[in-house]
């Protein structure tokens, strides 16, 4: 599936940078073009793989290149004012090659959480291709303002895109990690999951063709349920020597027992769906799903693929489960599970509740601030001070 990536804000830009790096390293070639949009000049300067010609600094007249300071109302305003600059760069992309747009943003800050929904709204009106979102939720310890930003942005973003994939930092941050290493590992994890999912229909030029091809239409149909999606991933290293050039020229490796291959794939689906999802949730009640198996063709058992898909149907309670394989020379075999239209999501409910409380406290604080200042500066006794103006 061919994507045009648009990272909005600091987190969005870094995730897009990681995706471009993954695409180059694996030579998957699922990214047609990549763009980074920000109000902070320093954030754009930190990107390594998004070209300078695809970096757009907006809001210069308002914030002078210093960012919006976690104010997502301001982030939405400056994006709306300068959206023409972003669209002019998108016009230079080979949009005729694009199957979908993917807008990536951290929902806790100001530029991404405010600007991503604005940009999604504009793209939805201008292009017939689907517009998807990838939103990153802040961890609980990142602060009340970031939780409030995320809750407000989520409500808007999910209605402006054709589907919103969520990644919850709270479920992925490891204790003891530095901020830099923590976010770097998260970005790598996002890139791996999306890379296998969206790269599944692409060929590596080796001539190996999937038994059941997962092309753009399969992913588009799965995400067509709208709402919120989550992605699971599991992999296992194969207990065999890596195949070199001579062994490949000499013929294919001996096919292992189909029963073992089938059991491995079924186990991988269970681990992917019931393990660490990008957004933890109850998978029962999911509207649609897709499972992709990636690995050497001789270990991708047809019966295993069918059994894995059937298991996911039973667990989710929906018949709309698609599946396929992604043959690639590797010493690992992996399963990626896309669950689209999930609604039993405790983290989102919790986020909304905390945000409502934070908003209530902020409003009460603002109302009391004016009175508190008057009391602090009140005249003492019969004496009074004259104002300068």
């Amino acid at each position: 599936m061919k994507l045009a990536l648009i990272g909005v804000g600091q987190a969005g830009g870094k995730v897009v940078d990681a995706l471009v790096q993954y695409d180059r390293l694996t030579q998957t070639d699922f990214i047609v073009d990549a763009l980074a949009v920000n109000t902070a000049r320093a954030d754009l300067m930190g990107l390594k793989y998004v070209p300078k010609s695809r970096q757009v600094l907006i809001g210069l007249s308002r914030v002078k290149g210093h960012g919006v300071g976690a104010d997502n109302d301001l982030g939405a305003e400056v994006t709306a004012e300068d959206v023409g600059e972003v669209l002019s760069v998108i016009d230079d992309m080979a949009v005729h090659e694009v199957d979908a747009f993917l807008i990536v943003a951290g929902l806790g800050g100001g530029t991404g959480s405010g600007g991503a929904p604005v940009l999604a709204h504009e793209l939805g009106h201008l292009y017939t291709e689907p517009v998807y979102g990838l939103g990153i939720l802040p961890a609980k310890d990142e602060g009340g303002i970031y939780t409030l930003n995320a809750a407000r942005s989520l409500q808007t973003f999910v209605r402006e895109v054709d589907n919103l994939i969520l990644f919850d930092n709270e479920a992925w941050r490891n204790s003891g990690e530095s901020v830099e290493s923590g976010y770097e590992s998260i970005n790598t994890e996002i890139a791996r999951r999306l890379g296998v999912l969206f790269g599944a229909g692409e060929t590596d030029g080796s001539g190996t063709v999937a038994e059941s091809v997962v092309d753009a239409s399969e992913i588009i149909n799965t995400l067509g349920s709208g709402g919120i999606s989550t992605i699971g991933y599991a992999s296992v290293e194969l207990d065999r020597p890596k195949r070199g050039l001579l062994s490949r020229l000499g013929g294919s490796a001996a096919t292992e027992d189909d029963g073992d291959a089938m059991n491995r794939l079924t186990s991988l689906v269970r681990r992917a769906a019931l393990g660490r999802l990008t957004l933890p949730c109850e998978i029962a009640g999911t509207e649609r799903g897709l499972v992709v198996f990636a690995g050497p063709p001789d270990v991708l058992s047809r019966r295993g693929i069918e059994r894995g898909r059937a298991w996911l149907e039973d667990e989710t309670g929906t018949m709309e489960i698609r599946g396929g394989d992604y043959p690639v020379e590797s010493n690992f075999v992996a399963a990626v599970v896309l669950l689209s239209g999930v609604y039993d999501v405790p983290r989102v409910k919790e986020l909304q509740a905390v945000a409502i409380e934070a908003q209530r406290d902020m409003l009460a604080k603002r109302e009391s601030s004016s009175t508190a200042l008057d009391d602090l500066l009140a005249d003492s006794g019969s004496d009074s001070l004259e104002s300068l103006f």
Side-chain angles (χ1 to χ4, degrees), residues 30 36 42 60 111 128 131 152 164 171 185 208 277 293 333:
F30 68 93
L60 269 173
T111 302
T128 58
V131 179
R152 293 182 65 207
L164 179 60
S185 64
T208 303
L277 297 168
F293 297 96
V333 61

Side-chain angles (χ1 to χ4, degrees), residues 24-35:
R24 291 181 183 178
L25 289 174
T26 60
Q27 299 181 348
T28 310
D29 196 30
F30 68 93
I31 299 175
V32 173
D33 216 326
L35 172 67

Side-chain angles (χ1 to χ4, degrees), residues 265-324:
L265 296 188
T266 307
S267 174
L268 282 173
V269 173
R270 291 195 183 100
R271 287 172 49 202
L274 302 178
R276 295 182 80 182
L277 297 168
T278 58
L279 177 71
C281 67
E282 292 295 329
I283 69 173
T286 299
E287 289 193 22
R288 300 180 186 181
L290 172 69
V291 56
V292 178
F293 297 96
D298 59 291
V299 301
L300 298 179
S301 160
R302 175 185 289 275
R303 287 201 301 156
I305 294 171
E306 293 174 351
R307 183 190 251 185
R309 185 179 56 76
W311 178 86
L312 197 58
E313 282 184 2
D314 292 339
E315 291 296 309
T316 57
T318 177
M319 299 295 291
E320 291 197 66
I321 301 294
R322 296 167 173 83

Side-chain angles (χ1 to χ4, degrees), residues 191-224:
R192 180 187 297 117
R193 293 177 182 226
L194 292 183
V196 175
L197 175 64
F198 290 114
E202 305 301 324
T203 60
D204 59 5
S206 66
T208 303
V209 179
E211 291 287 338
S212 179
V213 178
V214 179
D215 59 17
S217 64
E218 301 290 330
I219 300 173
I220 290 172
N221 286 334
T222 302
L223 294 172

Side-chain angles (χ1 to χ4, degrees), residues 173-174 176-183:
R173 290 269 293 275
N174 295 320
E177 280 185 326
S178 68
V179 173
E180 182 179 2
S181 64
Y183 286 127

Side-chain angles (χ1 to χ4, degrees), residues 292-358:
V292 178
F293 297 96
D298 59 291
V299 301
L300 298 179
S301 160
R302 175 185 289 275
R303 287 201 301 156
I305 294 171
E306 293 174 351
R307 183 190 251 185
R309 185 179 56 76
W311 178 86
L312 197 58
E313 282 184 2
D314 292 339
E315 291 296 309
T316 57
T318 177
M319 299 295 291
E320 291 197 66
I321 301 294
R322 296 167 173 83
D325 59 306
Y326 176 23
V328 58
E329 284 299 335
S330 170
N331 208 42
F332 288 83
V333 61
V336 171
V337 172
L338 169 64
L339 301 174
S340 176
V342 295
Y343 299 104
D344 191 351
V345 189
R347 178 73 173 111
V348 171
K349 289 292 187 183
E350 177 191 37
L351 189 78
Q352 298 286 338
V354 173
I356 290 170
E357 185 64 29

Side-chain angles (χ1 to χ4, degrees), residues 41-95:
R41 183 179 285 106
D43 291 342
L44 291 175
M45 291 173 63
L47 302 179
K48 299 178 181 178
Y49 299 96
V50 178
K52 297 292 183 184
S53 62
R54 291 292 188 258
Q55 298 178 15
V56 184
L57 183 64
I58 60 174
L60 269 173
S61 62
R62 298 283 295 275
V63 299
K64 315 299 181 184
H66 301 304
V68 297
D71 184 343
N72 62 357
D73 284 314
L74 181 56
E77 289 174 17
V78 299
T79 304
E81 290 170 3
D82 293 350
V83 71
E85 296 181 29
V86 181
L87 295 176
S88 66
V89 178
I90 294 174
D91 286 341
D92 289 336
M93 293 181 176
V95 177

